[in-house]
Amino acid sequence: MPTWEASRLTHSMDLRTMTQSLVTLAEDNMAYFSSQGPGETARRLSGVFVGIREQALGLEPALGRLLSVAHLFDLDAKTPANGYRSLVHTARCCLAHLLHKSRYVASNRRSIFFRTSHNLAELEAYLVALTQLRALAYYAQRLLATNRPGGLFFEGDEGLIAEFLREYVTLHKGCFYGRCLGFQFTPAIRPFLQTISIGLVSFGEHYKRNETGLGVTASSLFTSGRFAIDPELRGAEFERIIQNLDVHFWKAFWNITEIEVLSSLANMTSATVRVSRLLSLPPEAFEMPLTADPKFTVTISPPLAHSGPGPVLVRLISYDLREGQDSEELSNLVKSEGPRGLELRPRPQQAPRAQSLVVHIHGGGFVAQTSKSHEPYLKSWAQELGVPILSIDYSLAPEAPFPRALEECFYAYCWAVKHCALLGSTGERICLAGDSAGGNLCFTVSLRAAAYGVRVPDGIMAAYPATMLQSTASPSRLLSLMDPLLPLSVLTKCVSAYAGGETEDPSDSDQKALGMMGLVRRDTALLFRDLRVGASSWLHSFLDLSGNKSHRNSVPTAGRCPPPDPSCQPLTHPAHRARLMGGPGWPPDPAPLAEPMRRSVSEAALVQPEGLLGTDSLKSLTLHDLSLKGSSDTSDTPELSLSAETLGPPTPSDINFFVGPDDAPDAKAPEELSTKDRGCGARAAFPEGFHPRRSSHSTTQMPLCSSPIVKNPFMSPLLASDSMLQSLPPVHIVACALDPMLDDSVMFARRLRGLGKPVTLRVVEDLPHGFLSLAALCRETRQAAAQCVECIRLILTPPAAPLV
C-alpha cells in the first residue's frame, strides 16, 4: 500500500467522516466475504471486518472526547501540542491505514491477482493495533478524570500510580513491532525502523549467548533472515526483548555505533572539520568569579560522587582551526583515541577566536553513547554556526549513577567558561545544547551554576528533553506502548539505572579488561569466523520459516554477582554526602587519582569506594528524611536553601542535592483524592465488553523506580521550585509530536511561561525521538535538525542594543 496515501487521508479527513467511511467499507467487505462460502479464509476476512467496524465505532467517541479538551493542555494557541493530541493523531493514522486498505480490498477482491493471505495478515495486524489504541484512549480518559486541570502527568498516591502503570504494561505490544512498525511516523523513517528492529532482535539472540561487539554485528547480518520475512515473529521477539532484557543489553545495543568501523562510516557522510580532539580534563579544583560580584570567587571542585575525583573527557569540534586550539596547553590535554587519527589539520593561517561557544551534552538514556555517537551532526553544527563545540563525555549509569554525570557536566561547563580562549572562543555568548538525557543535564547544569553563583549560559537548546524521571504516566507516555525506540520498560530501566537501582554488569572480567580497542581486535577475529560460518546460517534462516525455536524469557544468570549490600550504598553515608556536597569530610587524605570514569559497554566497571559504613538504604528514606540526614550528619554545616531569594555568596558546600521540603513544589495530598478516584483502578477505565489483548510475556523485570532521588529537582527539573526555575536562562525546546517524552517538554515550557521566563517550544511532526542522530536520513529529519540549529543561532546572536 502506498504509505503516502494513508498519510494524506490522515490530514485531509475529520475523525467522524473517516470513521463513517471505514464502517461503510467494513460492512460492504463483511457482506461480500460472508457470501463466499464456508472457507476458512473467507470466514477470517469477514471476521476481521466485523472487528474493524466494532473497534472503529467504539474508538471514535473516546477520541472525540480527548480532542474536545486537548486545547486546554497546549502551551499556547500557536503551539497545539500535547500527549492527548498525539494519541488522537496516532489513532487517526491507524484508522487511515485501515480505510485505505479496506478500499483496496473492496476494489480488488474479485481480481485473480488479489493476494488474499497478505491482505488478511495486514488487516488482522492493524485490527489488533486499533484495539490496543482504543485501550490507550480509555487510559487517557482515566488520566483526564484523575489529574488536576491542565496537568498532563498522573496525580495521586504512589500506590495508585503503580497500579496504573502495572496494568498498562500488561498490554500486548508485539503488533506494533511487526507489520505495523512505525505506522505513525513519516514514511521515510519506516525502512530505518525496520532495519533497527531486525538488528535488535538478532542482537538479542547473540546477547543471550554473551557475545558483544563487532562479532555480534557480523553474525546478526547472517541470522536475521527469518525476522525480516516474518513480521509476526519479529514483533513477538521484539516484545520479549523489551520486557525481559536488562539495561546492560540496551547499553550494549546502543553502543554498537561506538565501534570503530561503524563510527568511521558515519563520519564519512558528515561534514569535514579541521579540529576534532578528545581532551581529558584533570580533576583539579579551580576558582570561578561570582556573577554578582566578580571580585569574589567560588571553588569548583572536581567530580567526587561514587568513586572520588577523576578526569572528565570532552571532545572539541571546530570547522576552522582557531587561535588557541593548537596551543601547547591544550595539546597537553589531548587523549589518544587509538588508531583513529586526529582530524587536526593546521592551516598556515589561523582563524580568529569566535565570539561564541556551544557546550553540548549528548543523550543516550544516561546509560549509553558518547560524543563520538553524536559527532556527525555536531560537525554539521560546527560548519553551520561557525563556532567551536565542546561535547562532554560524562560517565554512564549504572556504573556511575546520579549525581556523577551532573557533577562531571557542571565541572566541564565551568572549565569551558574559564578556558574558552583555549577552545578558540572569546566566550561572549555561550549556549548549552543537548538532546534527550543531555537536555535534562543542560537544565540541571544551569540550575547548579545559578546555585553556585557562577555564570549561567546565555541560553539552552534542549531537543526532546526528559524533565520528569519519576515513574508516572501521561498521555504521551502512553505512546511508549508502540514506540520502537522508547518502550516504557526500557525507559524505566534507564531511569532506575541512573537513580542507582541497577547494579553493575558483572559480565566477563577479561572482557572488561580489554577496553574498546581490545574488543575491536578480538571481534575482528570473530568477524572472520562469522564470515566462514555465516553463509550456511543465513541460508538456514531463510529455509527455516517455522520459527518454532523456543526462547528463554530471561537473561542467563550464571556468573552474575549478587546485588551490592545496602550498607555500602554510597549516597547514604554522611562522609559521602559531605564529599558530594563539598562540605566537611572532603577532601580525603592524598591518594592516587582515579582513572577516567568514562564507561561504555566495553570498559571496566566501577569499584565501589571502600570504608562506607552507612546502614540506611536509600530506597527506605523519604525526601524529607534525606534532607534531615543531610543536615544532622554534618552538624557544623547549617541546612541551606537553593532559593534564589536567600542564596548568599555561594561556596561548594551550599550545593545540596537533597532539597528540603520547603523547596519542593506543591503536590496534591492523598486525602484530596475523592472516594471515586481511590476506588477506580485502571481496569475500571474500560467499558463493559471491551477486552484489549494482553501480553504473554512476563513483566516482572520492569522496575518501577520508587526511590525518592527521582523527585530531586537536579534529576527531575520539572519538579524544581519556582525560585530555582527563575534562575534559568532563555530556553528553546524542540520536541517531537509522537515522542513519549513530549509531555515533559510541554509541561516544562508551561511552568517557565507561567513564571514569565523566556521560553519557546517547537514541535516537529511525524518524527521519532532521537531525530538528531537521523539528520542525514531524510528531508524531514534534516528540517527538524535545522530548527535546532536555528534555536542555537538565536541564543548566540547578541541582543540588539536599545535605541537611544
XYZ file of all heavy atoms in Angstrom, residues 143-222:
628
model
N -6.711 9.402 32.883
C -5.820 10.481 33.292
C -6.576 11.803 33.403
O -6.364 12.586 34.326
C -4.665 10.614 32.294
C -3.666 9.465 32.239
C -2.634 9.711 31.138
C -2.959 9.290 33.573
N -7.461 12.065 32.438
C -8.258 13.291 32.478
C -9.100 13.370 33.748
O -9.254 14.441 34.343
C -9.178 13.363 31.256
C -8.609 13.939 29.967
C -9.627 13.810 28.850
C -8.214 15.397 30.150
N -9.641 12.235 34.162
C -10.515 12.227 35.330
C -9.737 12.370 36.629
O -10.287 12.827 37.637
C -11.326 10.922 35.357
N -8.459 11.992 36.625
C -7.673 11.971 37.855
C -6.845 13.233 38.044
O -6.697 13.731 39.156
C -6.748 10.739 37.877
O -7.539 9.562 37.689
C -5.991 10.640 39.185
N -6.284 13.756 36.954
C -5.341 14.869 37.066
C -6.051 16.188 37.340
O -7.228 16.368 37.008
C -4.518 14.995 35.783
C -3.616 13.799 35.564
O -3.505 12.946 36.429
N -2.996 13.744 34.414
N -5.292 17.127 37.895
C -5.823 18.474 38.085
C -5.961 19.143 36.721
O -5.315 18.743 35.756
C -4.888 19.290 38.974
C -3.493 19.452 38.405
C -2.635 20.325 39.303
N -1.250 20.342 38.845
C -0.787 21.111 37.872
N -1.609 21.927 37.232
N 0.487 21.077 37.525
N -6.779 20.175 36.620
C -6.942 20.863 35.329
C -5.605 21.383 34.801
O -4.860 22.058 35.503
C -7.888 22.027 35.674
C -8.642 21.554 36.872
C -7.681 20.712 37.655
N -5.305 21.045 33.561
C -4.068 21.488 32.937
C -2.887 20.592 33.182
O -1.833 20.774 32.554
N -3.011 19.614 34.076
C -1.893 18.717 34.369
C -1.865 17.539 33.425
O -2.901 16.918 33.159
N -0.681 17.212 32.930
C -0.541 16.096 31.995
C -0.048 14.828 32.669
O -0.254 13.733 32.141
C 0.422 16.481 30.864
C -0.133 17.461 29.824
C 0.969 17.940 28.877
C -1.256 16.807 29.016
N 0.608 14.944 33.814
C 1.154 13.760 34.469
C 0.189 13.232 35.519
O -0.499 13.991 36.201
C 2.509 14.077 35.099
C 3.618 14.189 34.094
C 4.027 15.431 33.635
C 4.227 13.060 33.573
C 5.032 15.547 32.692
C 5.232 13.159 32.634
C 5.642 14.400 32.185
N 0.164 11.912 35.627
C -0.738 11.210 36.549
C -0.512 11.714 37.969
O 0.617 11.784 38.434
C -0.475 9.706 36.475
C -1.551 8.864 37.116
C -2.474 8.214 36.325
C -1.633 8.723 38.485
C -3.470 7.424 36.897
C -2.621 7.953 39.066
C -3.540 7.302 38.268
N -1.597 12.047 38.651
C -1.508 12.535 40.016
C -2.294 11.618 40.933
O -3.317 11.069 40.564
C -2.026 13.965 40.114
C -1.194 14.950 39.299
C -1.802 16.328 39.279
O -2.831 16.524 39.953
O -1.246 17.206 38.603
N -1.818 11.484 42.133
C -2.429 10.585 43.096
C -1.356 9.968 43.951
O -0.167 10.277 43.800
N -1.743 9.104 44.875
C -0.727 8.489 45.712
C 0.078 7.485 44.894
O -0.305 7.062 43.799
C -1.352 7.831 46.947
C -2.397 6.775 46.581
O -2.145 6.019 45.643
O -3.454 6.722 47.239
N 1.238 7.113 45.433
C 2.158 6.253 44.687
C 1.552 4.890 44.405
O 1.857 4.266 43.385
C 3.474 6.116 45.459
C 4.266 7.413 45.542
C 5.635 7.222 46.159
O 5.955 6.079 46.537
O 6.371 8.211 46.272
N 0.694 4.413 45.313
C 0.056 3.127 45.071
C -0.849 3.156 43.857
O -0.887 2.209 43.065
N -1.579 4.253 43.678
C -2.464 4.385 42.527
C -1.665 4.479 41.234
O -2.028 3.890 40.211
C -3.343 5.629 42.702
C -4.571 5.743 41.798
C -5.525 4.589 42.039
C -5.268 7.076 42.039
N -0.549 5.219 41.281
C 0.307 5.328 40.098
C 0.884 3.974 39.728
O 0.895 3.574 38.559
C 1.425 6.350 40.350
C 0.840 7.750 40.521
C 2.441 6.332 39.221
C 1.864 8.792 40.905
N 1.380 3.244 40.742
C 1.962 1.924 40.480
C 0.932 0.975 39.903
O 1.214 0.198 38.985
C 2.561 1.358 41.765
N -0.311 1.036 40.431
C -1.366 0.178 39.900
C -1.651 0.503 38.440
O -1.797 -0.397 37.603
C -2.642 0.364 40.727
C -3.828 -0.440 40.203
C -5.144 -0.042 40.856
O -5.117 0.819 41.754
O -6.184 -0.575 40.439
N -1.717 1.784 38.136
C -1.974 2.205 36.757
C -0.881 1.699 35.825
O -1.161 1.136 34.759
C -2.070 3.731 36.705
C -2.432 4.272 35.347
C -3.754 4.575 35.043
C -1.475 4.485 34.368
C -4.100 5.073 33.796
C -1.803 4.988 33.124
C -3.125 5.286 32.836
N 0.381 1.892 36.203
C 1.491 1.510 35.329
C 1.580 0.004 35.168
O 1.849 -0.504 34.068
C 2.805 2.062 35.882
C 2.965 3.591 35.836
C 4.261 4.018 36.500
C 2.921 4.085 34.396
N 1.370 -0.730 36.241
C 1.471 -2.194 36.142
C 0.349 -2.763 35.285
O 0.525 -3.768 34.610
C 1.452 -2.799 37.544
C 2.725 -2.520 38.336
C 2.838 -3.415 39.565
N 4.094 -3.157 40.249
C 4.223 -2.346 41.296
N 3.156 -1.731 41.769
N 5.391 -2.154 41.865
N -0.818 -2.125 35.348
C -1.911 -2.555 34.476
C -1.593 -2.212 33.026
O -1.813 -3.013 32.122
C -3.203 -1.873 34.930
C -4.396 -2.078 34.009
C -4.930 -3.494 34.041
O -4.575 -4.251 34.976
O -5.687 -3.854 33.130
N -1.057 -1.025 32.824
C -0.755 -0.560 31.462
C 0.287 -1.443 30.783
O 0.154 -1.783 29.603
C -0.283 0.890 31.530
C 0.456 1.381 30.308
C -0.230 1.688 29.133
C 1.836 1.530 30.326
C 0.437 2.138 28.017
C 2.520 1.986 29.212
C 1.817 2.288 28.062
O 2.492 2.730 26.956
N 1.323 -1.854 31.512
C 2.408 -2.605 30.869
C 2.016 -4.023 30.525
O 2.771 -4.716 29.831
C 3.682 -2.621 31.750
C 4.199 -1.214 31.977
C 3.435 -3.337 33.080
N 0.850 -4.495 30.990
C 0.421 -5.842 30.614
C -0.195 -5.881 29.223
O -0.488 -6.967 28.714
C -0.596 -6.391 31.619
O -1.781 -5.573 31.590
C -0.024 -6.405 33.028
N -0.421 -4.711 28.596
C -0.998 -4.700 27.261
C -0.047 -5.328 26.250
O 1.178 -5.159 26.329
C -1.314 -3.265 26.835
C -2.477 -2.567 27.544
C -2.595 -1.134 27.054
C -3.786 -3.314 27.321
N -0.616 -6.016 25.292
C 0.158 -6.613 24.197
C 0.789 -5.518 23.336
O 0.163 -4.503 23.043
C -0.771 -7.481 23.349
C -0.188 -7.916 22.050
N 0.805 -8.866 21.945
C -0.459 -7.511 20.773
C 1.119 -9.037 20.667
N 0.366 -8.228 19.950
N 2.041 -5.722 22.966
C 2.779 -4.706 22.203
C 3.330 -5.236 20.887
O 3.736 -4.459 20.029
C 3.950 -4.168 23.041
C 3.565 -3.761 24.441
C 4.786 -3.630 25.331
C 4.399 -3.484 26.791
N 3.703 -4.666 27.333
N 3.393 -6.561 20.744
C 4.053 -7.147 19.583
C 3.483 -6.700 18.253
O 4.206 -6.616 17.259
N 2.174 -6.385 18.222
C 1.569 -5.970 16.956
C 2.192 -4.687 16.429
O 2.231 -4.461 15.206
C 0.066 -5.773 17.125
S -0.398 -4.487 18.312
N 2.701 -3.818 17.314
C 3.291 -2.543 16.890
C 4.736 -2.688 16.403
O 5.304 -1.739 15.881
C 3.248 -1.542 18.042
C 1.871 -1.154 18.461
C 1.357 -1.547 19.687
C 1.060 -0.407 17.621
C 0.087 -1.185 20.081
C -0.222 -0.046 17.996
C -0.714 -0.440 19.228
N 5.315 -3.862 16.588
C 6.708 -4.069 16.188
C 6.836 -5.020 14.996
O 7.944 -5.342 14.590
C 7.513 -4.628 17.369
C 7.400 -3.792 18.615
C 7.179 -4.377 19.861
C 7.494 -2.406 18.555
C 7.063 -3.608 21.006
C 7.383 -1.633 19.696
C 7.168 -2.242 20.918
O 7.058 -1.469 22.044
N 5.703 -5.460 14.453
C 5.720 -6.329 13.288
C 5.285 -5.583 12.043
O 5.953 -4.658 11.584
N 4.141 -5.937 11.501
C 3.651 -5.289 10.271
C 3.323 -3.813 10.482
O 3.385 -3.026 9.544
C 2.417 -6.030 9.750
C 2.701 -7.436 9.286
C 1.455 -8.120 8.749
N 1.728 -9.523 8.503
C 2.221 -10.001 7.362
N 2.469 -9.176 6.363
N 2.449 -11.293 7.224
N 2.933 -3.460 11.694
C 2.523 -2.074 11.959
C 3.688 -1.194 12.413
O 3.454 -0.058 12.851
C 1.436 -2.055 13.030
S 0.002 -3.073 12.649
N 4.896 -1.682 12.321
C 6.041 -0.949 12.857
C 6.142 0.448 12.255
O 6.223 0.616 11.042
C 7.329 -1.722 12.572
C 8.628 -1.076 13.078
C 8.673 -1.105 14.606
C 9.842 -1.783 12.500
N 6.117 1.461 13.121
C 6.341 2.830 12.687
C 5.248 3.408 11.823
O 5.484 4.383 11.107
N 4.021 2.856 11.885
C 2.948 3.361 11.008
C 2.643 4.825 11.284
O 2.146 5.534 10.410
C 1.674 2.530 11.199
C 0.977 2.760 12.510
C -0.037 3.700 12.616
C 1.346 2.051 13.651
C -0.684 3.921 13.822
C 0.715 2.267 14.862
C -0.302 3.201 14.947
N 2.937 5.299 12.497
C 2.590 6.670 12.868
C 3.608 7.694 12.388
O 3.338 8.903 12.414
C 2.434 6.784 14.398
C 3.724 6.623 15.205
C 4.039 5.195 15.573
O 3.815 4.280 14.789
N 4.560 5.001 16.767
N 4.793 7.222 11.963
C 5.856 8.138 11.565
C 5.826 8.418 10.066
O 5.136 7.743 9.300
C 7.222 7.575 11.960
C 7.391 7.360 13.439
C 7.724 6.117 13.944
C 7.208 8.407 14.323
C 7.875 5.911 15.303
C 7.352 8.221 15.691
C 7.687 6.970 16.181
N 6.619 9.396 9.660
C 6.728 9.719 8.235
C 7.248 8.501 7.476
O 8.098 7.752 7.982
C 7.669 10.922 8.030
O 7.676 11.289 6.652
C 9.084 10.616 8.460
N 6.749 8.237 6.262
C 7.141 7.016 5.534
C 8.641 6.858 5.356
O 9.142 5.729 5.326
C 6.431 7.184 4.184
C 5.245 8.039 4.485
C 5.691 8.991 5.557
N 9.390 7.949 5.261
C 10.832 7.837 5.037
C 11.555 7.216 6.221
O 12.669 6.699 6.074
C 11.418 9.223 4.731
N 10.942 7.244 7.414
C 11.578 6.714 8.623
C 11.370 5.202 8.750
O 12.173 4.499 9.359
C 11.011 7.433 9.866
C 11.474 8.888 9.876
C 11.428 6.756 11.155
C 12.941 9.075 10.145
N 10.302 4.686 8.147
C 9.915 3.303 8.417
C 10.931 2.255 7.982
O 11.159 1.284 8.711
C 8.543 3.039 7.787
C 7.445 3.890 8.405
C 6.130 3.798 7.675
N 5.250 4.901 8.076
C 4.105 5.184 7.498
N 3.683 4.434 6.482
N 3.369 6.193 7.917
N 11.577 2.394 6.816
C 12.618 1.397 6.490
C 13.748 1.370 7.509
O 14.272 0.291 7.843
C 13.111 1.856 5.108
C 11.980 2.630 4.524
C 11.341 3.320 5.680
N 14.118 2.537 8.022
C 15.159 2.580 9.054
C 14.702 1.846 10.307
O 15.459 1.074 10.908
C 15.497 4.032 9.378
C 16.281 4.207 10.647
C 17.645 3.959 10.672
C 15.650 4.612 11.823
C 18.363 4.113 11.843
C 16.357 4.764 12.993
C 17.726 4.514 13.009
N 13.453 2.077 10.730
C 12.945 1.410 11.924
C 12.884 -0.098 11.735
O 13.154 -0.864 12.664
C 11.559 1.955 12.275
C 11.496 3.433 12.699
C 10.054 3.834 12.945
C 12.339 3.672 13.941
N 12.538 -0.528 10.529
C 12.508 -1.972 10.272
C 13.907 -2.563 10.371
O 14.098 -3.641 10.949
C 11.913 -2.245 8.895
C 11.783 -3.732 8.587
C 11.046 -3.998 7.300
O 10.664 -3.070 6.589
N 10.839 -5.264 6.975
N 14.889 -1.863 9.830
C 16.271 -2.331 9.939
C 16.710 -2.414 11.393
O 17.348 -3.384 11.825
C 17.203 -1.395 9.156
O 16.779 -1.335 7.796
C 18.643 -1.888 9.214
N 16.359 -1.382 12.165
C 16.726 -1.364 13.577
C 16.067 -2.520 14.322
O 16.691 -3.200 15.151
C 16.331 -0.022 14.214
C 17.242 1.092 13.706
C 16.400 -0.096 15.740
C 18.694 0.955 14.127
N 14.792 -2.767 14.040
C 14.084 -3.833 14.754
C 14.660 -5.203 14.411
O 14.802 -6.060 15.294
C 12.592 -3.783 14.427
O 12.353 -4.099 13.064
N 15.008 -5.414 13.150
C 15.615 -6.694 12.766
C 16.970 -6.856 13.445
O 17.304 -7.922 13.975
C 15.758 -6.776 11.238
C 14.372 -6.829 10.578
C 16.582 -7.998 10.831
C 14.407 -6.716 9.071
N 17.748 -5.765 13.442
C 19.044 -5.829 14.113
C 18.902 -6.049 15.603
O 19.696 -6.775 16.219
N 17.879 -5.452 16.211
C 17.700 -5.582 17.649
C 17.387 -7.011 18.056
O 18.002 -7.548 18.990
C 16.575 -4.650 18.108
C 16.201 -4.739 19.582
C 17.318 -4.176 20.437
C 14.896 -4.002 19.864
N 16.435 -7.641 17.369
C 16.069 -8.998 17.765
C 17.212 -9.971 17.476
O 17.421 -10.938 18.210
C 14.773 -9.439 17.064
C 13.601 -8.603 17.533
C 14.885 -9.361 15.552
N 17.983 -9.724 16.421
C 19.133 -10.576 16.135
C 20.215 -10.372 17.186
O 20.829 -11.327 17.670
C 19.688 -10.259 14.741
O 18.708 -10.461 13.753
N 20.447 -9.110 17.539
C 21.424 -8.802 18.579
C 21.014 -9.448 19.902
O 21.853 -9.926 20.666
C 21.530 -7.283 18.742
C 22.644 -6.832 19.643
C 23.903 -6.570 19.146
C 22.420 -6.654 20.999
C 24.925 -6.149 19.981
C 23.432 -6.231 21.843
C 24.695 -5.971 21.325
N 19.686 -9.469 20.174
C 19.212 -10.072 21.403
C 19.533 -11.545 21.494
O 19.862 -12.052 22.571
N 19.462 -12.249 20.375
C 19.810 -13.671 20.393
C 21.277 -13.877 20.749
O 21.625 -14.752 21.535
C 19.521 -14.287 19.024
C 18.041 -14.512 18.761
C 17.827 -15.468 17.603
O 18.635 -15.434 16.653
O 16.862 -16.234 17.642
N 22.152 -13.046 20.175
C 23.572 -13.182 20.466
C 23.897 -12.706 21.875
O 24.788 -13.242 22.519
C 24.391 -12.400 19.443
C 24.330 -12.979 18.069
N 25.191 -13.956 17.646
C 23.490 -12.741 17.030
C 24.907 -14.281 16.387
N 23.876 -13.556 16.004
N 23.166 -11.722 22.351
C 23.409 -11.222 23.708
C 23.133 -12.316 24.732
O 23.825 -12.423 25.750
C 22.514 -10.015 23.966
C 22.705 -9.397 25.333
C 23.725 -8.489 25.574
C 21.837 -9.714 26.390
C 23.891 -7.920 26.819
C 21.998 -9.145 27.634
C 23.025 -8.245 27.844
O 23.199 -7.680 29.086
N 22.116 -13.140 24.457
C 21.808 -14.232 25.377
C 22.961 -15.208 25.478
O 23.137 -15.875 26.487
C 20.545 -14.960 24.919
C 19.274 -14.154 25.076
C 18.050 -14.979 24.746
C 18.031 -15.364 23.274
N 16.813 -16.120 22.926
N 23.773 -15.274 24.417
C 24.939 -16.159 24.438
C 26.187 -15.409 24.884
O 27.297 -15.890 24.733
C 25.150 -16.762 23.052
C 24.005 -17.666 22.625
C 24.405 -18.533 21.450
N 24.570 -17.761 20.228
C 23.598 -17.547 19.348
N 22.392 -18.019 19.585
N 23.815 -16.853 18.254
N 25.976 -14.180 25.407
C 27.050 -13.371 25.986
C 28.103 -12.999 24.974
O 29.298 -12.995 25.243
C 27.703 -14.100 27.172
C 28.403 -13.124 28.096
O 28.004 -11.962 28.174
N 29.415 -13.580 28.782
N 27.673 -12.675 23.748
C 28.580 -12.153 22.740
C 28.323 -10.661 22.616
O 27.193 -10.204 22.675
C 28.339 -12.814 21.383
C 28.605 -14.305 21.382
C 28.349 -14.902 20.012
O 28.169 -14.124 19.053
O 28.316 -16.128 19.894
N 29.382 -9.865 22.429
C 29.233 -8.428 22.260
C 30.190 -7.949 21.198
O 31.152 -8.609 20.840
C 29.545 -7.668 23.557
O 30.868 -8.010 23.983
C 28.559 -8.013 24.654
N 29.937 -6.748 20.706
C 30.895 -6.093 19.827
C 30.677 -6.390 18.370
O 29.610 -6.763 17.917
N 31.736 -6.260 17.569
C 31.666 -6.386 16.120
C 31.261 -7.780 15.703
O 30.578 -7.977 14.714
C 33.027 -6.010 15.513
C 33.114 -5.945 14.005
C 32.165 -4.891 13.471
C 34.534 -5.647 13.569
N 31.679 -8.776 16.485
C 31.298 -10.143 16.151
C 29.802 -10.327 16.138
O 29.249 -11.004 15.288
N 29.125 -9.710 17.077
C 27.672 -9.794 17.115
C 27.068 -9.154 15.881
O 26.178 -9.691 15.243
C 27.152 -9.101 18.402
C 25.648 -8.949 18.324
C 27.529 -9.909 19.617
N 27.575 -7.989 15.525
C 27.037 -7.292 14.368
C 27.184 -8.120 13.104
O 26.267 -8.244 12.306
C 27.757 -5.942 14.189
O 27.656 -5.213 15.403
C 27.138 -5.141 13.074
N 28.352 -8.715 12.910
C 28.574 -9.525 11.723
C 27.677 -10.751 11.726
O 27.087 -11.103 10.710
C 30.046 -9.941 11.666
N 27.561 -11.397 12.873
C 26.707 -12.572 12.943
C 25.265 -12.207 12.661
O 24.550 -12.943 11.982
C 26.819 -13.217 14.341
O 28.135 -13.609 14.603
N 24.853 -11.043 13.182
C 23.457 -10.642 13.010
C 23.096 -10.475 11.546
O 21.963 -10.720 11.149
C 23.206 -9.336 13.766
O 23.489 -9.500 15.139
N 24.065 -10.048 10.734
C 23.786 -9.861 9.315
C 23.362 -11.159 8.651
O 22.624 -11.158 7.675
C 25.038 -9.309 8.614
C 25.492 -7.909 9.058
C 26.793 -7.546 8.364
C 24.422 -6.878 8.764
N 23.808 -12.303 9.202
C 23.551 -13.582 8.559
C 22.426 -14.362 9.230
O 21.963 -15.352 8.697
C 24.822 -14.434 8.574
C 25.933 -13.855 7.747
C 27.023 -13.268 8.347
C 25.871 -13.866 6.362
C 28.037 -12.718 7.585
C 26.890 -13.326 5.593
C 27.975 -12.740 6.213
